[in-house]
Structures are given as structure tokens and as C-alpha cells.
Amino acid sequence: MIALIFLNLFPSITNAAQIMNLDVIFKYKNDLVLNCSQFGENSTFYRRHKNDLSVTSISPDGSKYFFENGVLTIKNSKKFDINSEYFCNNTKGDQLIFNKLIVPHLYYVDSLILTSTEGKNIDLNCYLLIGIPNKTLNWTWKLDDVKIEPDGRFIVNEIEQEKSTLRISDLKIDDSGLYTCRVSNEYGSHERNITLRVKNRLAPLWPFLGTLGQLLILILIIGSYEIFKRKNSNNQELIDTQNGEENRKKRI
């Protein structure tokens, strides 16, 4: 998907050179399109990363960076691309500065599943990967597509807008389900899912109870066998006694 572009030109003249601004939406893993076509083919694109004071020119490489008719396309933008500043110049000294309108993006882990036991507390966390924390970000949490309203057991904490934590106290079995964390601003949104499974408070005892049950069954089997064995032994002794008595009478 190609990032949307919004024009917002504010020309100023300094020694006959124009300095202009162009608003561009930056979205993680989308193509960034930086349009400097008003300068013609003789424009050069530059990049400066936020952690580096040096400025480097950008050249097309046929895989990541493409340049055509004064338009630079950066394919499948990543965090480094979005955290960089961009501008272009022409041979006359005119400069176009690209203002970044960043769509927030969350750290994402596929199939995140958390398990806890009823009666305990748990924190569900969402971390901001891409975004500007000092800008207004809206955080919302849902359980099975129903918005969670903070109350005595559900509390939402936001730490400098870089992280949102949903704390659930005194877990219930009914708290199990699919939780959705969503962050948004005026340029777009992103969300991730967390599956929570709440076990019965007796669940930790189930292995022990299972072993105990097997032991009781084994004891019953052994006990039944001993009783059966003893009964057969007594019967055999009685038979032997009766046979011995009959033989004695015959001899008399």
C-alpha cells in the first residue's frame, strides 16, 4: 500500500531560493512516497536519522529505493526509515522538507497467550514501536470486541504514552477471552490481540488429585485381590478339612 500524501506548501524566499514543506503520512511496512516532482529530474533526496547529525544522499538501488520523475519511493518502510528526516534540493538551491505524519504501530507478537489462575492479578501490556509519544495518542482495550470501561477490577495505565497496561485484579473464570489493545491518532491506528486463559484455583491440585485417585484405585484393586485370595484360601482349607474327615471315617 502506498502512503497517502497531503500537500501543505508554505513557500518562503531566502536569496531567491524557495523553502517549502510537504506533509506525508508515514506508516510502518508501507511504501513511503516522497514527491519532489515540482523540482524536476534534477532533484536530490537526503536523509538524516534522528540519532545521527550527518546528512546522507539517497540513491536508487532497484530493491529498496526507487526514483522516477522526481518521486522517491521507499519500499516496505521499517523503523529506521520512519525515524529518519527527509528533504530534497534542486540545483537552484530550492528545498522541500517532508513533514512526517506518523501512524502509530505496536510491537507485535503472533498468538500471544497468557495463562493465570482465578483470584490472582495480571498485567496485559502494549508497547509502542512506531509513533510520537509527545503527540496525542488514544489507547483503548476491548474484551471479545466489547470496550473495557475501567472500574474496580480493570485499571488502564499509560506510561508517557509509550506503553499501555491493563491491570486485572482478582481474576475470574469469565475474564478469559480475546483482549484487543488499540492505539490511534488522527492519522491512523494499529491493534494487537492477547488471549487470556484463567484457570480454576484448584487447577494446581489437579495433578496431585489425579495421582491420588490412581493410588486409591490401585489400593482398591490390591485389597480386592487380597480379599479374593484369602477367601479362596479359606474355602480350600475347608474343603481339605472335609475331605480329610470323610477319609478318616471310611478307614474306621
Side-chain angles (χ1 to χ4, degrees), residues 81-94:
D81 302 314
I82 294 177
N83 285 338
S84 298
E85 306 291 338
Y86 299 89
F87 64 92
C88 64
N89 290 347
N90 63 7
T91 55
K92 297 179 182 180
D94 298 326

Side-chain angles (χ1 to χ4, degrees), residues 3-10 21-26 33 35 96-99 101 103 186-187:
L4 300 176
I5 300 178
F6 293 88
L7 287 174
N8 181 23
L9 300 179
F10 303 95
N21 293 270
L22 179 65
D23 290 348
V24 182
I25 286 186
F26 281 53
V33 179
N35 191 339
L96 177 61
I97 300 172
F98 297 99
N99 299 325
L101 310 179
V103 177
E186 57 185 306
Y187 312 123

Side-chain angles (χ1 to χ4, degrees), residues 42 48 54 56 59 62 66 71 83 103 113 138-139 144 151 159 168 177 183 188 194 200 212 218 225 227 249:
N42 295 321
R48 182 181 70 248
S54 63
T56 57
S59 302
F66 295 84
V71 178
N83 285 338
V103 177
I113 300 175
N138 299 311
W139 295 87
D144 296 332
D151 58 19
I159 302 177
I168 309 173
V183 61
I194 303 174
N200 187 283
L212 181 61
L218 182 61
Y225 172 75
I227 292 173
K249 290 180 178 179

Side-chain angles (χ1 to χ4, degrees), residues 36-65:
C36 204
S37 59
Q38 62 264 48
F39 288 171
E41 290 288 340
N42 295 321
S43 57
T44 303
F45 286 86
Y46 297 90
R47 183 215 319 259
R48 182 181 70 248
H49 192 261
K50 70 174 185 178
N51 296 327
D52 189 355
L53 297 179
S54 63
V55 176
T56 57
S57 61
I58 302 175
S59 302
D61 60 5
S63 59
K64 176 73 174 180
Y65 306 103

